Amino acid sequence: MHYAAILGFGTVGSGVAEALMINADTMNRKTDGITLKYIVDVRDFPDSPFAGLLTKDFSVVENDPDVDMVVETIGGVGIAAEFTRRALRAGKSVITSNKELVAKHGCELMALAEEHGANYLFEASVGGGIPMLRTVVYNLGAEKITEFFGILNGTTNYILTQMFRNGMSFSAALARARELGYSEADPTADIDGIDACRKVAILCSLITGRQTPVDTISVEGISGVSVEDVEFAASMGCTIRLLGHAYFGGDGKVRACVAPHLIPSKVLLSGVEDVMNGLHIRSEAAGDVMLYGAGAGKLPTASAIVSDMFCLAGNRRDGAAFSWGPPSEERCGNISDLPFSWYVRVSPADGWEEKQSGLHLFAQKDGKLAYYTDEMTEEALLSRFAGQVILSRFRIIR
Amino acid sequence: MHYAAILGFGTVGSGVAEALMINADTMNRKTDGITLKYIVDVRDFPDSPFAGLLTKDFSVVENDPDVDMVVETIGGVGIAAEFTRRALRAGKSVITSNKELVAKHGCELMALAEEHGANYLFEASVGGGIPMLRTVVYNLGAEKITEFFGILNGTTNYILTQMFRNGMSFSAALARARELGYSEADPTADIDGIDACRKVAILCSLITGRQTPVDTISVEGISGVSVEDVEFAASMGCTIRLLGHAYFGGDGKVRACVAPHLIPSKVLLSGVEDVMNGLHIRSEAAGDVMLYGAGAGKLPTASAIVSDMFCLAGNRRDGAAFSWGPPSEERCGNISDLPFSWYVRVSPADGWEEKQSGLHLFAQKDGKLAYYTDEMTEEALLSRFAGQVILSRFRIIR
């Protein structure tokens, strides 16, 4: 029997307590079983069915030799980092959904875990209930992954879906997302692509075995996507989605970005709507593989945490491990080096010559011109439009 | 270092040799490495770059203590079963794409492997390059899976896609599939749903831990799908696909079928076209998860075999294992017990009363009527249409 403690009894933390109950039969049949022994939170929850497990004192968990799994759902890089380090030093494995902490200090924390015979697992930090991490590390672990692109943030996908489906403006769609509780009180990390960037960093680090620092990933949010872009994209059979997009070159470099992209309808990811997430992975032998599911939400996120606990409880500690080494500057490339087909919306000024090599005008409206281009780098693209005000430019997925 | 032999140098076998070369860097970085030592085939391949590895004598492999992995791509349940048993008895792990053998003798072969300290692995037997099996066994291993439905056969999906996209008849689309090499010389196992049925049996056995005999799965192929069905389905925003579909009830019973289904466009699987495959899994905590990719083809299938070899070479023998126990009659239910919403096409005869409870007429053409129904069992459905000739009846995915 394994004993677990949950740190932080918010949405995800209480979801883990619930998911452990839902999955108890399966867990007991396939593993040594897990008993939830403590929940650590500074708040009181007198009416919770788990009230008897609550404590405000983390050192009770830290000093209980029975506890071998600690679930950290506090969030942020402050107290969460401290408790994680203390738990790992006490030889307890830590399981988390905290993408900020993993993207920033994952390398250090995994090394600390290894040093103390424990694991630091974080399937829930990317893609909610979709097993994205274990798929890239294990299921496709033998593959030369050449590219991935994914919808990794539910809030922005909800907003873009509303803009597409109902012609809503960005701000109206954001207001709607807030009403429905899909958006944080401060939606900046979602809207500006910061949340997705952390997830791209985690995926790239796992794929390459080297930490990919978040500041090596080019990031652009969705506030520049207009209803006009949505209409132009739809007229060429594409949706616009905020994608995390990474290339793994033969030169060993990772080139990644988070940015709005056009996705042709023939690519299945174009149909991923609302708060759902999806990850499309391209590799040399397996070809195209796509994973889809609930990228957020209480139970799906909790289920991913429980999947990590399941690995540990099944005594598959080595088979469950995630790891990567420290960053290597020469491995960090810039996605601007790579050629893409682009969508461009411009408001042409004097002297604009419509016909330039590699540009294809496909629509116009209210004096705005919409182009798609042959494959070219961002620099080559900008030189074509020198002196013009580019209103939007988004990459088009192949 | 591990040493491997490939039995059968056909499409998949030669793909494995190729995929091992493509993935050599990744394998060497993450595992102890694998060297391909023998290829066993009765034929000669003097021009193959692997000609030096070829032998006609399986006992060379059997008696070489260096070889710890044997890849069986012979197919069928004759010589393939014999060589598999001999390899396992010699303590060598066997990796295969042979769904017929796995569905029929998997339980015995996994027990034999265990007895001799080896593994019997078959990720490639279902879903080609898509890691379907490891996902249900490990990534979603803690989950209470309640239902899955999947496009598990590329040939039939190609035919149905052609019927939808180009209005082709079934026989014209089959002829086209043959021209393109998507169909076997004898396409019966594909068309009649037998291939998909074996894959459903393997998935159900892994999910429940009990062998699901193929003859407990209700099977209907696609030869009854007409162009008229395709048109009616499209008019209600659905595609028709051959699905493997299984329910895992609270009573412990598995209820499964292979049959054409209508899939509404809001379900992502409806967009899986041509020879691509997809599996939609519903579970209590994780919610909906879908996997998509190349379900067949030389390199994708080979990549799945290599993913099994990767697990073994990474010394994750326990973390890689598949297993299930012998069948249990009380666990085998009948999908006819369950209520569904149905699509029905009828050519009404005298005395037909159009308006009956639970039936909704949504289209008519050339004297044929098309209905969708409220949720009801097959028996209840048939009683509504007593005395009428039902031309087609297909379940509709929720």
Side-chain angles (χ1 to χ4, degrees):
Chain A
M1 182 58 72
H2 299 264
Y3 292 90
I6 296 172
L7 313 184
F9 201 52
T11 305
V12 177
S14 60
V16 172
E18 204 177 312
L20 281 172
M21 289 178 67
I22 292 172
N23 292 342
D25 290 353
T26 322
M27 296 285 268
N28 289 334
R29 179 161 63 86
K30 299 186 185 177
T31 72
D32 304 334
I34 298 174
T35 299
L36 181 58
K37 191 163 178 183
Y38 303 106
I39 295 166
V40 180
D41 202 298
V42 291
R43 297 165 291 181
D44 291 307
F45 298 88
D47 302 329
S48 163
F50 300 101
L53 305 181
L54 275 149
T55 171
K56 295 181 185 182
D57 183 4
F58 172 66
S59 65
V60 173
V61 172
E62 191 179 17
N63 296 320
D64 186 334
D66 282 350
V67 174
D68 59 350
M69 297 183 199
V70 173
V71 175
E72 183 269 298
T73 65
I74 299 167
V77 294
I79 194 81
E82 187 200 322
F83 285 178
T84 298
R85 289 193 187 98
R86 283 166 59 184
L88 293 173
R89 282 198 198 103
K92 302 174 193 315
S93 287
V94 176
I95 302 105
T96 191
S97 57
N98 187 338
K99 50 207 158 265
E100 188 180 357
L101 184 57
V102 174
K104 199 161 180 180
H105 298 299
C107 185
E108 171 217 328
L109 295 170
M110 285 182 283
L112 189 63
E114 169 122 43
E115 192 185 322
H116 294 276
N119 275 41
Y120 186 52
L121 297 178
F122 39 85
E123 178 64 71
S125 66
V126 182
I130 315 164
M132 290 185 182
L133 302 191
R134 210 152 266 123
T135 297
V136 301
V137 175
Y138 290 109
N139 302 1
L140 299 177
E143 289 292 305
K144 262 193 197 165
I145 293 176
T146 53
E147 178 187 0
F148 73 72
F149 49 90
I151 293 170
L152 299 171
N153 179 275
T155 308
T156 48
N157 206 55
Y158 176 81
I159 291 170
L160 291 171
T161 305
Q162 289 303 312
M163 290 174 71
F164 257 82
R165 204 191 289 142
N166 305 326
M168 274 190 190
S169 69
F170 167 75
S171 51
L174 173 59
R176 184 100 184 92
R178 274 181 161 146
E179 270 170 42
L180 291 168
Y182 292 159
S183 161
E184 308 280 332
D186 176 5
T188 315
D190 291 325
I191 300 304
D192 290 353
I194 297 164
D195 174 76
C197 174
R198 288 173 184 144
K199 293 167 177 170
V200 169
I202 294 170
L203 282 164
C204 289
S205 303
L206 285 172
I207 290 169
T208 61
R210 285 278 182 182
Q211 189 177 333
T212 302
V214 290
D215 60 11
T216 65
I217 299 167
S218 135
V219 181
E220 178 186 340
I222 64 164
S223 52
V225 179
S226 73
V227 172
E228 230 168 28
D229 292 320
V230 164
E231 288 170 3
F232 282 140
S235 80
M236 63 185 286
C238 291
T239 55
I240 301 182
R241 291 289 187 264
L242 184 71
L243 296 184
H245 192 174
Y247 281 86
F248 304 91
D251 58 1
K253 284 192 198 295
V254 180
R255 295 176 173 86
C257 71
V258 172
H261 284 66
L262 268 67
I263 317 181
S265 61
K266 69 172 196 288
V267 176
L268 212 56
L269 204 74
S270 67
V272 174
E273 298 200 319
D274 296 324
V275 294
M276 301 304 274
N277 280 196
L279 180 67
H280 191 117
I281 304 159
R282 286 180 169 150
S283 64
E284 292 200 6
D288 289 34
V289 169
M290 205 274 272
L291 311 174
Y292 162 86
K298 179 178 176 170
L299 277 178
T301 305
S303 83
I305 288 179
V306 171
S307 80
D308 283 340
M309 300 172 83
F310 170 75
C311 284
L312 296 173
N315 298 313
R316 295 184 291 110
R317 209 183 74 79
D318 292 335
F322 295 142
S323 78
W324 62 68
S328 143
E329 209 166 305
E330 72 222 25
R331 301 285 209 92
C332 299
N334 193 322
I335 199 158
S336 299
D337 301 345
L338 300 179
F340 288 94
S341 173
W342 297 83
Y343 154 84
V344 185
R345 178 171 62 103
V346 288
S347 190
D350 287 351
W352 171 242
E353 289 192 35
E354 215 172 87
K355 290 195 202 298
Q356 295 200 41
S357 72
L359 305 189
H360 309 277
L361 182 69
F362 71 90
Q364 45 190 311
K365 190 184 171 190
D366 301 338
K368 317 283 173 46
L369 305 181
Y371 292 86
Y372 69 89
T373 76
D374 293 346
E375 293 205 351
M376 57 181 75
T377 61
E378 195 162 14
E379 195 183 353
L381 178 79
L382 296 180
S383 75
R384 295 282 199 299
F385 289 96
Q388 298 297 319
V389 177
I390 295 182
L391 300 168
S392 312
R393 62 170 190 277
F394 304 133
R395 291 176 184 87
I396 305 174
I397 287 290
R398 266 180 291 225
Chain B
M1 181 59 71
H2 299 264
Y3 292 89
I6 297 172
L7 313 184
F9 202 52
T11 305
V12 177
S14 61
V16 172
E18 203 177 313
L20 282 171
M21 289 179 68
I22 292 172
N23 292 341
D25 291 354
T26 322
M27 297 284 269
N28 289 334
R29 180 160 62 85
K30 299 186 184 176
T31 72
D32 303 334
I34 298 175
T35 299
L36 181 58
K37 192 162 177 183
Y38 303 107
I39 295 166
V40 180
D41 201 297
V42 290
R43 296 165 291 180
D44 291 306
F45 298 88
D47 303 331
S48 162
F50 300 100
L53 306 180
L54 275 150
T55 172
K56 293 180 187 184
D57 183 4
F58 172 66
S59 65
V60 173
V61 171
E62 191 179 18
N63 296 319
D64 185 335
D66 282 351
V67 173
D68 59 350
M69 297 182 197
V70 173
V71 175
E72 183 269 298
T73 64
I74 299 167
V77 294
I79 195 80
E82 186 202 322
F83 286 178
T84 297
R85 289 192 187 99
R86 283 167 58 186
L88 292 173
R89 282 197 199 103
K92 303 175 194 314
S93 288
V94 176
I95 302 107
T96 191
S97 56
N98 187 338
K99 50 208 159 267
E100 188 180 358
L101 184 57
V102 174
K104 199 161 180 182
H105 298 300
C107 185
E108 172 217 327
L109 295 170
M110 286 182 283
L112 189 63
E114 169 121 43
E115 192 185 321
H116 293 276
N119 276 43
Y120 185 53
L121 298 178
F122 40 84
E123 178 64 70
S125 66
V126 182
I130 314 166
M132 290 186 181
L133 303 190
R134 210 152 266 124
T135 296
V136 302
V137 175
Y138 290 110
N139 302 2
L140 300 176
E143 289 291 306
K144 262 192 198 165
I145 293 176
T146 53
E147 179 187 0
F148 72 72
F149 49 92
I151 294 170
L152 300 171
N153 179 276
T155 307
T156 48
N157 206 56
Y158 177 82
I159 291 171
L160 292 171
T161 306
Q162 290 303 312
M163 290 174 71
F164 257 82
R165 205 192 288 144
N166 305 325
M168 273 188 191
S169 70
F170 167 75
S171 52
L174 172 59
R176 182 104 185 89
R178 274 181 162 148
E179 270 170 43
L180 291 166
Y182 292 159
S183 162
E184 308 280 331
D186 176 5
T188 316
D190 292 324
I191 301 304
D192 290 352
I194 297 164
D195 174 78
C197 173
R198 289 174 184 144
K199 293 167 175 170
V200 169
I202 294 171
L203 282 164
C204 290
S205 303
L206 285 173
I207 289 170
T208 60
R210 285 277 181 183
Q211 188 178 333
T212 302
V214 290
D215 60 11
T216 65
I217 299 167
S218 134
V219 181
E220 179 187 339
I222 64 164
S223 52
V225 179
S226 72
V227 173
E228 230 168 28
D229 292 320
V230 165
E231 288 169 4
F232 282 141
S235 79
M236 64 185 287
C238 290
T239 55
I240 301 182
R241 291 289 188 264
L242 183 71
L243 296 183
H245 192 174
Y247 281 84
F248 304 92
D251 58 2
K253 283 192 200 295
V254 179
R255 294 176 173 86
C257 70
V258 172
H261 284 66
L262 268 67
I263 317 180
S265 61
K266 68 173 200 287
V267 177
L268 213 55
L269 204 73
S270 67
V272 173
E273 298 199 320
D274 296 322
V275 292
M276 301 303 274
N277 279 197
L279 180 67
H280 191 118
I281 304 159
R282 288 181 167 147
S283 64
E284 292 200 6
D288 288 33
V289 169
M290 204 275 272
L291 312 175
Y292 161 86
K298 179 179 175 170
L299 277 179
T301 305
S303 84
I305 289 179
V306 171
S307 80
D308 282 341
M309 301 171 84
F310 171 75
C311 284
L312 296 173
N315 297 313
R316 294 185 291 109
R317 210 182 73 81
D318 292 336
F322 296 142
S323 79
W324 62 67
S328 143
E329 208 167 306
E330 73 221 23
R331 301 285 207 90
C332 299
N334 193 323
I335 199 156
S336 299
D337 300 345
L338 301 179
F340 288 93
S341 174
W342 297 83
Y343 155 84
V344 184
R345 179 170 62 103
V346 289
S347 189
D350 286 352
W352 170 243
E353 289 193 34
E354 215 173 86
K355 288 193 202 298
Q356 294 200 43
S357 72
L359 304 190
H360 309 278
L361 182 69
F362 72 90
Q364 44 189 310
K365 189 184 170 189
D366 301 337
K368 318 283 173 45
L369 305 181
Y371 292 86
Y372 69 90
T373 77
D374 293 346
E375 292 204 352
M376 57 180 74
T377 61
E378 195 162 14
E379 195 183 353
L381 178 79
L382 296 180
S383 76
R384 295 282 200 299
F385 288 96
Q388 297 297 317
V389 177
I390 295 183
L391 299 169
S392 311
R393 61 169 190 278
F394 304 134
R395 294 177 183 84
I396 305 174
I397 288 290
R398 265 178 291 224

